[in-house]
Amino acid sequence: MMPDLGKYAFAVLASYGVSVLLVLGIVVLSVWQGARVRRALAEVEARQGKTDG
Amino acid sequence: MSIWEYANPKKFMQTSGLVLPWVAGLSALCIVAGLVWGFFLTPDDYRQGSTVKIIYLHVPSAMMAINAWGMMLVTSLIWLVRRHHVSALAAKAAAPVGLTFTVIALVTGAFWGQPMWGTWWAWDPRLTSFLILTLFYLGYIALWQAVEDPDTAADLTAVLCLVGSVFALLSRYAVLFWNQGLHQGASLSLDKKENVADVFWVPLVVCIAGFVLLFLTLVLVRTRTEIRARRLSALLARERMA
């Protein structure tokens, strides 16, 4: 199943590894920041009796 | 119906909330399909060997790094001309995503360049202008953080974005202006002779579609966060004054 990458195995696998890590990093960071702000906003709105727009 | 309706944060939140799951799902589907197809099911190139598999990451990320700046330029101009807050927040939201694609393009380019050119890096016109674009991304993000007043920050970063656009354009077209660079010309072309072979082209286009949709997904998620953060700070300010 795994293709024979020959002498270029390091270059190819490192490219895929670093790219996957960076993409996962920005996705997780964006979702985490979004959840954190949404929670904080919900708390303040509940305190002030308002709803999210 | 007008596109300016989406400058209303409430309308933007409603519409983006509906669209987001579909865009995110389609993005994941295209990226997984394109990368699996490209990595496992395409042959080696007769000159570049298995390093050709890096094309499915390098080309879409480099393309999106430049296009993200283009999107920031358009939204910055909308902010400067029409003063729509959502457009300024969308530009702010896009910058870290664009930076991520820029770093991916630089790193995969280095991994590809070392076995093909014999060096990780060269002061080639395209590479150099791309590196400067990376520095502009960092400067843009830092400027948003450094200025306390959000409208002033939006003004200053919009101007920075206009200046940085020169390097975004150079990154794309430098190979046409200067011949002495190591970097090859465009991988995708309407000219059949210049275009990559069909066996590589199809999965590459699927990966590009996936990266475009991933960018759109992340910009929507982050813009929604910025809108909520703006509302949060307004409510907290009102609470402090009460």
Side-chain angles (χ1 to χ4, degrees), chain B residues 85-159:
Chain B
H85 286 90
V86 172
S87 66
L89 294 178
K92 183 185 180 186
V97 187
L99 177 64
T100 306
F101 285 133
T102 312
V103 173
I104 291 174
L106 283 173
V107 171
T108 54
F111 280 128
W112 202 353
Q114 207 286 327
M116 292 299 106
W117 300 338
T119 179
W120 299 94
W121 177 263
W123 294 102
D124 162 286
R126 180 175 259 190
L127 272 66
T128 306
S129 52
F130 206 79
L131 180 66
I132 296 171
L133 179 63
T134 314
L135 299 177
F136 265 94
Y137 266 118
L138 288 170
Y140 182 92
I141 294 167
L143 192 54
W144 264 108
Q145 302 298 323
V147 182
E148 203 171 335
D149 177 59
D151 284 4
T152 310
D155 285 338
L156 294 174
T157 51
V159 173

Side-chain angles (χ1 to χ4, degrees), chain A residues 26-27 30-31, chain B residues 12-13 16 20 23-24 27 64 67-69 71-72 75 86-99 101 137 211-227:
Chain A
I26 189 74
V27 168
S30 302
V31 171
Chain B
F12 179 88
M13 293 297 278
S16 62
L20 196 48
V23 182
S27 158
M64 284 319 298
N67 290 348
W69 195 272
M71 174 258 168
M72 288 160 58
T75 49
V86 172
S87 66
L89 294 178
K92 183 185 180 186
V97 187
L99 177 64
F101 285 133
Y137 266 118
F211 273 61
V212 170
L213 291 166
L214 175 65
F215 174 73
L216 189 59
T217 303
L218 290 171
V219 169
L220 286 178
V221 168
R222 298 180 69 88
T223 307
R224 287 166 65 82
T225 302
E226 292 295 339
I227 290 171

Side-chain angles (χ1 to χ4, degrees), chain A residues 12-37:
Chain A
V12 175
L13 294 177
S15 293
Y16 276 75
V18 172
S19 302
V20 168
L21 278 179
L22 285 169
V23 167
L24 283 179
I26 189 74
V27 168
V28 169
L29 183 71
S30 302
V31 171
W32 175 75
Q33 283 176 335
R36 190 169 53 92
V37 171

